[in-house]
Amino acid sequence: MEFQLSPEDEAFRQELRQFLREEVPPEKTGGMSSMNEGDENGGDAFAMAMRKKLAQRGWLTMGWPKEYGGQDASPMRQTIFMEEMAYWDAPGMDLMGVGIVGPTIMRVGSDAQKRQHLHAIAKGEVIWSQGFSEPGAGSDLAGLQTRADLKGDVFVVNGQKIWSSGAHRADYMYLMARTDQDVPKHKGISALLVDLKSTKQGLEIRPIINMAGMKGFNEVFFDNMEVPRENLLGELNQGWYYSMGLLESERTAFINFSAIGRSVIEGLTRLVNDPDARGIASGKRPETRAKLADATIENKVARNLALTVTWMTGKGIRPTYQASVAKVFGTEAFKRLAWSAMSIVGLYGQVERQKQYAPLMGRVNSIYYTSVGMTIAGGASEIQRNVIATRGLGLPR
Amino acid sequence: MDLGLSEEQEMIKTTARDFLEKECPKSLVRDMEEDDKGYSPELWKKMADQQWMGMVIPEQYGGQGFSFLDLAVLIEEHGRALVPGPFFSTAVLCGMPLAEFGTEAQKKEHLPKIANGNEIWVYAQTEPSATWEASGVELKAAAQGDGFVLNGTKLFISYAHVADYLLVAARTKDGGKPEEGITLLCVDAKAPGIAYEGLKTIASDHQSEITFKDVKVSKDSVLGEVDGGWAIIQKIGEWGATGKCAEMVGGAQLVLEMSVEYAKQRVQFGRPIGSFQAIQHHCANMVTDVDGSRYIAYEAIWRVSEGLDASKEVSMAKAWVSDAYRRICALGHQIHGGIGFTKEHDMQLYFRRAKAAELAFGDGDYHRELVAQHLGI
Ligand SMILES: Cc1cc2nc3c(=O)[nH]c(=O)nc-3n(C[C@H](O)[C@H](O)[C@H](O)COP(=O)(O)OP(=O)(O)OC[C@H]3O[C@@H](n4cnc5c(N)ncnc54)[C@H](O)[C@@H]3O)c2cc1C
C-alpha cells in the first residue's frame, strides 16, 4: 500500500496548479460548482477558450491513445487532472465528448466517424450532448420510446428527449433511439451521432431552466428528423450495450465531488477563523468545529473511494460495484457538506451569485443547488444501491 | 498510489484467516467471555508459534521485523475472528513502544520474551478520570531513593489480571501543563501493593480496576525519559487507535458477509428477503461503510507505519471507523430480525465489541475535535 503520488505524478500536479493559477482568475471559476452551463456573462466563451488551451497542452484527452490525439495517460494521471480542475473550480472540461462519446467512437465507430470526430474533440473544438433520458424513461432508460426508422439512406427520428445537458449550445448529440419495436427492450436500441447544427428540419431544442435559475438542460423534440445512415454508431440494435460501457469511461470523474468539496471546506475554514467575517458561525462554536471536522473526514472517505476505482482501473481490475459506491457516497457526502456550509455562513448563504456578499464567490450557495442534482444525474442513488446489492453483493433480483 | 496489499501481506491475511477459523471458533470466543483468565493459554502458545507476538519486533530481539502495516493486516483478521486475550496490548500497545523507546537492556530483557509468548504485557493509561487526555493521568509516582513509589488507581484496563508486566502512565511532576510531568513505567504486575478488581464490561474483555498502594519501582523501569512520557503516550495512541481501526474493519467485514448471506437464505413472502429493495439498500449502505472505513483506516496505518506525520489522519480514521462500525452493526441487526437479538446469535458478539473498540483511544466526538484543531479552527 502507498497513499501518495509518485514523484512524476506529483510534478504533474504542480505543473497543473501553476497553469491554473495563471489562467483562471478567481472570478472566472465556477466550472464545477455551478456546472457552468449557459452562463450568459461570457462564461461559455471563456470555457471554450480554456478547453482549447487544455487541448494544446495535450491534457484534455490525455487518457486517449496517441493515434487519436491523446497521451495514453494512466487513470491516475487523468484523475489528478480532474481533481485539480475541480478543486480550482475551473471551466473547460469536456466529460461528454472526451469521457463518453470519443471512447465509444474509438471502440465501435467507423473509420469515417473516427476521422470526423476524434480530432475535433481532442482539439477542444466541438461541444457534445447526450440524448438518453426521456419523459417516460429515466432510471428505466431501456424503456425509451424515441424511434428511428431506417428509410433508404436515412433514419427518420420521432419522439422526445429530456434533460439533455448543454444541447442548446452543442454541435452534436449522442442519441439513443429505438430501431426495432419487436424485440425485448434492451435489444432494439441504436446509437446515432446527430449533427445538431446542420440539421435544419424536424429538430427543436427548448432549454429548461434548472432550479438554480440557469440554462442547464433541454427538452429536445424530433419530428421526422432525418439522420444519415452513416451516422449510425457501430451496429444496428447494439446501442444499449455500447452505452453500458459509458460509465466506465466516466469513472475517473468521481474524484470531482471530493475535490470541489475540499476547496469549499478550506474556504469555510478561513471564514470561521476570520474575526472580521461578520455573520459567519465562529470556529469556536462546538457545532462549527464538529461540522467542519465531519466534512473533512467524509471528504477523505469520498476521495479514497474514488481513488479505489482509479486504482482498480489502472490495475486492469474491473470494478464491479466500487464505481457505484464512489458515486453514492461522493454525491451524498457532497450534499451533506452543502447543508453544513449553508448553515455555517448563516444569513449570507441566501445571497446568490453576487460576489460582494455571497461567501466564497457564491460557491456555498451554488453547491446547495447543484448537490441536489448530483444524487440524481448519471444514475440516482437508489439505482446505484440496487447495482451494489445485486451486481456487487450478489443479492437476488 | 497503491491501494492493494502486497503478496506477503496477502499471505499474512490468508494464513491468519485459516489459522483462526480452525483455532479460534466462536465457541472458544464465548467460553473465554466467561473464563476467569479470559484467554486460552493454549491458543496463546500457538499464536506465539506463528510468531505473531514478535511480528514487528526487530530480528535481533527474536522477532520478525515486519512493519506496522503488516501487523495491521493480521489485526484485521483478529477483529474478524474476535480473538480474545491480551494480544493487542502485548504486541501493539507495549511491544511497539518498548522496541522504539526502550533502552538496550530493556529491549534485551523483554522483547525476546514477548516474541516467544512468555511475557504478557498490558498498557495502563486510563483512570477514574475516564479521559484519554493528559490531564487524566493522576496516578502518582513519587521519587524515592533510586526509584519511585506509586499510589493511585488505573481503570478500564483489559487483561491486567493475567499480565506479567504493566506499562503504567504516571504523574511524576505536578504543576505546568498536563502534558508535562508524565512518566511511563514498566511495572512487575505481581509487585506488592498492586490489587486487581474485575469489572464486568460490554465486550467481556476482562477489564480491571488496578489499585497501587506504595508500589516500589526502580529507576531502570522508566520507558523513555522521566517526565517525558507524553510523547510516547501519543505514539502509543496512534498505534492503538489505528490498530483498533484495523480490528474494527475486520469485524465490520464479517458482519457484512454474515448479513448478506442471511439475506440470501431467509425467505419471507415466498422470496429471499435479499430480493427486497429495502434490504438490498441496507446491504449497499453496509458495504459502502466497510470500504470507506477500510481505506481511511489503512491510509492512517500506512502513514504511521512509514513514520510520516499522521496525527490528523489517525483522528480522521478513528472518528470515522468508530461510527461506521456501529452503523454497520445496526444494519446487520436490522437485516437479521429477531434472531439477531438473541444471545445465541453471533451478531451480539460484534455489536458489543464494536462499542468497546469505539471507546478505545477516543471515540468519534473526541477525535472530531482533534480534527477541528488540526484544521486550525
Ligand atoms: C443535472 C442533471 C443533468 C442531466 N443530464 C442529462 C443528460 O445530459 N442527458 C440525459 O440523457 N439525461 C440527463 N439527466 C437525466 C438523468 O439521467 C435522469 O434524471 C436520471 O436517470 C433519473 O431519471 P428520472 O429523472 O426520470 O427519475 P425517475 O427514474 O423517475 O426516478 C425518480 C425516483 O424514483 C427512484 N427509482 C426509480 N426506479 C427505481 C428502482 N428501480 N428502484 C428504486 N428507486 C427507483 C429514483 O431513484 C428516484 O429517486 C440529467 C439529470 C440531472 C439532474
Side-chain angles (χ1 to χ4, degrees):
Chain A
M1 283 197 174
E2 189 176 300
F3 285 82
Q4 69 188 356
L5 296 179
S6 68
E8 300 78 38
D9 284 343
E10 190 53 49
F12 170 64
R13 186 201 288 280
Q14 295 308 332
E15 183 188 350
L16 248 173
R17 281 194 184 159
Q18 186 56 31
F19 168 83
L20 289 169
R21 256 193 296 274
E22 283 162 14
E23 296 289 342
V24 189
E27 69 274 11
K28 292 289 187 191
T29 58
M32 256 297 283
S33 65
S34 70
M35 294 182 163
N36 197 56
E37 283 168 329
D39 184 340
E40 289 87 359
N41 310 322
D44 279 2
F46 184 79
M48 286 312 283
M50 264 299 285
R51 189 174 289 181
K52 289 220 175 83
K53 283 184 189 167
L54 296 173
Q56 277 155 14
R57 299 199 173 226
W59 291 339
L60 189 66
T61 50
M62 61 161 64
W64 288 16
K66 291 213 171 72
E67 53 173 320
Y68 298 125
Q71 299 190 336
D72 277 319
S74 68
M76 193 53 75
R77 269 293 158 95
Q78 298 173 55
T79 302
I80 296 167
F81 177 52
M82 295 266 184
E83 184 169 37
E84 288 304 313
M85 290 292 289
Y87 175 77
W88 201 265
D89 209 359
M93 291 301 265
D94 176 21
L95 275 185
M96 217 68 100
V98 174
I100 296 174
V101 179
T104 314
I105 292 178
M106 278 175 226
R107 213 153 34 102
V108 300
S110 66
D111 287 339
Q113 287 165 347
K114 288 178 189 167
R115 272 194 306 277
Q116 186 189 354
H117 296 298
L118 294 180
H119 279 281
I121 295 174
K123 286 189 191 143
E125 289 169 348
V126 286
I127 301 176
W128 277 83
S129 62
Q130 190 187 47
F132 287 11
S133 306
E134 298 181 2
S139 300
D140 183 15
L141 185 59
L144 61 88
Q145 294 300 327
T146 293
R147 56 190 295 164
D149 300 303
L150 190 54
K151 293 197 176 135
D153 281 343
V154 294
F155 286 97
V156 178
V157 182
N158 280 289
Q160 185 199 339
K161 293 291 169 181
I162 191 167
W163 316 126
S164 310
S165 297
H168 57 297
R169 54 197 184 97
D171 302 298
Y172 295 95
M173 172 176 279
Y174 181 135
L175 175 72
M176 291 233 280
R178 191 160 297 287
T179 39
D180 190 336
Q181 315 291 326
D182 304 323
V183 290
K185 58 183 183 177
H186 300 89
K187 297 192 169 153
I189 296 171
S190 297
L192 300 175
L193 305 176
V194 182
D195 184 340
L196 297 174
K197 290 284 153 71
S198 69
T199 301
K200 300 285 178 245
Q201 276 180 349
L203 171 68
E204 191 191 341
I205 300 173
R206 282 189 212 152
I208 301 174
I209 307 296
N210 72 23
M211 70 178 221
M214 304 244 240
K215 272 188 201 161
F217 32 49
N218 300 268
E219 285 180 291
V220 184
F221 299 89
F222 311 107
D223 179 13
N224 288 320
M225 176 181 77
E226 295 188 352
V227 178
R229 182 179 187 157
E230 64 263 25
N231 291 2
L232 170 70
L233 181 61
E235 288 175 43
L236 197 68
N237 296 329
Q238 289 299 304
W240 176 260
Y241 306 98
Y242 303 151
S243 74
M244 285 299 90
L246 291 183
L247 195 71
E248 300 193 19
S249 26
E250 276 183 297
R251 272 178 197 154
T252 43
F254 296 134
I255 202 78
N256 286 342
F257 313 121
S258 64
I260 181 81
R262 186 156 47 89
S263 80
V264 170
I265 292 169
E266 288 172 7
L268 289 170
T269 305
R270 281 193 301 275
L271 278 180
V272 303
N273 276 339
D274 182 355
D276 297 329
R278 289 189 296 164
I280 306 288
S282 161
K284 296 197 180 99
R285 275 173 56 179
E287 299 87 343
T288 311
R289 305 176 75 78
K291 280 195 178 95
L292 281 176
D294 261 331
T296 304
I297 297 166
E298 288 200 352
N299 192 260
K300 167 73 83 184
V301 173
R303 179 170 191 262
N304 282 342
L305 290 173
L307 287 177
T308 310
V309 178
T310 299
W311 175 76
M312 291 178 83
T313 311
K315 280 259 173 187
I317 312 168
R318 200 192 150 104
T320 47
Y321 68 91
Q322 288 84 355
S324 292
V325 164
K327 207 251 165 189
V328 174
F329 190 87
T331 54
E332 295 192 348
F334 190 69
K335 192 180 288 184
R336 289 189 290 270
L337 168 65
W339 294 347
S340 291
M342 276 297 256
S343 96
I344 286 171
V345 300
L347 292 173
Y348 284 113
Q350 310 168 85
V351 185
E352 306 206 324
R353 275 175 285 143
Q354 186 200 9
K355 311 283 181 203
Q356 187 191 353
Y357 281 122
L360 305 185
M361 315 281 303
R363 211 169 290 173
V364 173
N365 182 278
S366 284
I367 67 167
Y368 194 62
Y369 285 109
T370 51
S371 62
V372 175
M374 287 182 182
T375 52
I376 298 165
S381 292
E382 292 75 17
I383 303 299
Q384 305 293 349
R385 289 190 168 92
N386 292 349
V387 170
I388 297 166
T390 53
R391 218 182 295 163
L393 299 173
L395 289 164
R397 278 167 207 275
Chain B
M1 193 77 62
D2 179 4
L3 302 182
L5 297 180
S6 68
E7 252 172 61
E8 199 166 40
Q9 288 159 352
E10 290 288 0
M11 271 281 288
I12 294 171
K13 192 185 184 84
T14 42
T15 315
R17 186 167 299 186
D18 293 347
F19 174 88
L20 290 171
E21 272 171 10
K22 190 158 140 271
E23 304 291 345
C24 184
K26 290 294 179 308
S27 54
L28 178 86
V29 174
R30 286 169 183 273
D31 286 349
M32 289 307 116
E33 292 201 343
E34 312 296 334
D35 186 82
D36 284 341
K37 286 198 191 70
Y39 80 106
S40 148
E42 196 190 339
L43 175 59
W44 185 259
K45 172 87 183 45
K46 286 185 185 162
M47 282 163 50
D49 291 344
Q50 297 281 317
Q51 315 231 11
W52 284 355
M53 283 72 159
M55 207 166 141
V56 290
I57 289 174
E59 278 161 281
Q60 80 243 46
Y61 303 109
Q64 299 217 84
F66 280 96
S67 72
F68 179 57
L69 176 55
D70 300 326
L71 178 60
V73 173
L74 172 66
I75 294 171
E76 187 183 327
E77 291 307 309
H78 280 227
R80 179 185 177 91
L82 307 177
V83 178
F87 177 82
F88 193 85
S89 66
T90 301
V92 180
L93 304 178
C94 299
M96 299 210 53
L98 273 171
E100 187 152 333
F101 302 103
T103 61
E104 194 51 37
Q106 286 170 334
K107 290 198 270 195
K108 273 208 179 107
E109 167 160 13
H110 297 296
L111 292 180
K113 290 184 197 149
I114 288 178
N116 66 22
N118 284 339
E119 273 184 14
I120 289 175
W121 280 68
V122 152
Y123 174 60
Q125 181 186 340
T126 45
E127 302 188 9
S129 57
T131 168
W132 297 94
E133 283 166 28
S135 61
V137 179
E138 293 168 0
L139 181 132
K140 268 221 154 18
Q144 197 191 69
D146 205 22
F148 300 93
V149 179
L150 309 190
N151 277 292
T153 306
K154 289 289 170 186
L155 195 59
F156 314 116
I157 314 299
S158 289
Y159 303 105
H161 68 305
V162 294
D164 299 299
Y165 282 90
L166 311 172
L167 181 59
V168 177
R171 192 152 291 283
T172 33
K173 205 173 72 190
D174 278 322
K177 288 200 223 123
E179 289 80 11
E180 295 163 6
I182 294 175
T183 304
L184 279 171
L185 299 161
C186 306
V187 181
D188 179 348
K190 307 285 183 299
I194 301 183
Y196 301 90
E197 180 74 42
L199 305 173
K200 207 169 153 20
T201 49
I202 190 163
S204 298
D205 48 1
H206 293 72
Q207 298 183 12
S208 289
E209 173 201 71
I210 317 175
T211 43
F212 294 76
K213 194 158 182 296
D214 297 328
V215 178
K216 295 198 173 57
V217 289
S218 72
K219 204 162 198 164
D220 15 297
S221 58
V222 173
L223 181 66
E225 305 282 321
V226 174
D227 297 337
W230 185 247
I232 302 178
I233 290 177
Q234 281 184 304
K235 201 77 193 109
I236 295 173
E238 288 186 358
W239 288 315
T242 53
K244 282 288 158 188
C245 285
E247 188 183 300
M248 289 191 277
V249 166
Q253 176 74 39
L254 189 114
V255 170
L256 166 72
E257 289 170 19
M258 182 162 70
S259 305
V260 168
E261 197 45 42
Y262 186 73
K264 289 178 186 171
Q265 308 298 336
R266 169 72 175 165
V267 173
Q268 283 295 282
F269 299 97
R271 38 198 281 225
I273 58 166
S275 68
F276 298 124
Q277 199 171 59
I279 299 294
Q280 291 187 347
H281 288 194
H282 285 342
C283 293
N285 290 337
M286 289 171 82
V287 72
T288 302
D289 255 345
V290 172
D291 285 4
S293 296
R294 168 164 286 119
Y295 293 107
I296 201 169
Y298 275 98
E299 179 167 3
I301 290 162
W302 173 79
R303 290 192 76 89
V304 171
S305 192
E306 293 288 306
L308 300 167
D309 179 20
S311 52
K312 178 177 171 193
E313 285 76 11
V314 169
S315 282
M316 289 170 55
K318 185 61 173 52
W320 183 258
V321 181
S322 295
D323 289 347
Y325 193 12
R326 178 160 27 76
R327 288 195 293 271
I328 290 161
C329 286
L331 289 176
H333 263 135
Q334 196 63 26
I335 291 168
H336 279 89
I339 191 78
F341 193 63
T342 61
K343 182 156 189 201
E344 192 189 342
H345 198 274
D346 287 345
M347 268 306 302
Q348 54 93 2
L349 298 173
Y350 289 86
F351 169 83
R352 287 160 48 224
R353 282 160 184 78
K355 190 66 200 179
E358 174 188 338
L359 291 168
F361 298 97
D363 65 2
D365 288 344
Y366 176 82
H367 282 285
R368 266 187 293 275
E369 170 52 29
L370 291 181
V371 172
Q373 289 172 21
H374 276 290
L375 289 173
I377 310 172

